[in-house]
């Protein structure tokens, strides 16, 4: 059955890197590629990048740099919360392997604490359209 060509599990919602690896292993048995879903921040993206570097069935990685829900937050984006934002620089459609230890990034804890003092909770825009139909946000 070839009803699925690519799976898009989210590392932040599927149970972390270990569960993402299990999903990829099961998918690989059926020749199904993995393209991790990552609409969240730099820690989730760094985890996805490490997964990508170690997974044969990896296909492509999305990143939320400049995406609508980040720009709605004003001046904050995925580059604000790490000490070296150049790790997300895209060159010819690619991002280099992360150079640091662990997940490969260093979180700017001072910036996180500063933003957390005034940040408003992000509310899901909902899955119900104006016509009452269920939709993606």
């Amino acid at each position: 059955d070839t009803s699925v060509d690519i799976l898009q599990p989210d590392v932040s919602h599927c149970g972390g890197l270990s569960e993402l690896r299990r999903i990829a292993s099961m998918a690989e048995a059926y020749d199904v590629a993995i393209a991790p879903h990552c609409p969240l921040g730099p820690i989730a993206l760094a985890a996805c990048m490490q997964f990508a570097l170690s997974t044969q069935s990896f296909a492509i990685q999305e990143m939320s740099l400049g995406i609508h829900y980040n720009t709605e937050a004003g001046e904050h984006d995925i580059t604000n919360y790490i000490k070296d934002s150049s790790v997300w620089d895209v060159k010819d459609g690619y991002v280099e392997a992360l150079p640091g230890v662990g997940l490969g990034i260093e979180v700017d804890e001072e910036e996180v604490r500063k933003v957390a003092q005034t940040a408003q909770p992000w509310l899901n825009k909902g899955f119900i359209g104006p016509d009452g139909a269920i939709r993606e946000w």
Side-chain angles (χ1 to χ4, degrees):
D1 183 9
T2 57
S3 58
V4 174
D5 292 318
I6 297 177
L7 292 180
Q8 199 174 15
D10 188 316
V11 69
S12 298
H13 300 290
C14 77
L17 277 171
S18 295
E19 193 62 27
L20 184 56
R21 293 285 312 137
R22 288 182 193 96
I23 292 168
S25 294
M26 291 175 67
E28 189 174 356
Y30 295 93
D31 199 27
V32 173
I34 302 289
H37 180 52
C38 189
L40 301 173
I43 295 173
L45 181 56
C48 288
M49 294 284 293
Q50 297 303 337
F51 169 83
L53 291 167
S54 65
T55 304
Q56 182 175 343
S57 59
F58 169 77
I60 193 169
Q61 180 60 58
E62 75 176 322
M63 65 189 288
S64 63
L65 183 63
I67 203 162
H68 63 89
Y69 44 78
N70 286 344
T71 58
E72 288 172 6
E75 64 190 69
H76 307 291
D77 207 329
I78 64 170
T79 57
N80 289 85
Y81 305 106
I82 57 175
K83 294 207 174 182
D84 179 8
S85 63
S86 71
V87 298
W88 303 134
D89 289 349
V90 178
K91 297 175 188 122
D92 297 324
Y94 293 90
V95 174
E96 294 287 329
L98 299 174
V101 298
L103 291 178
I105 60 170
E106 186 177 354
V107 175
D108 186 342
E109 293 182 41
E110 186 177 312
E111 175 74 5
V112 170
R113 286 186 185 95
K114 183 179 103 180
V115 171
Q117 291 185 11
T118 59
Q120 297 298 312
W122 181 79
L123 300 175
N124 186 329
K125 300 208 182 259
F127 295 100
I128 307 297
D131 61 352
I134 296 175
R135 62 181 169 99
E136 290 192 59
W137 48 274

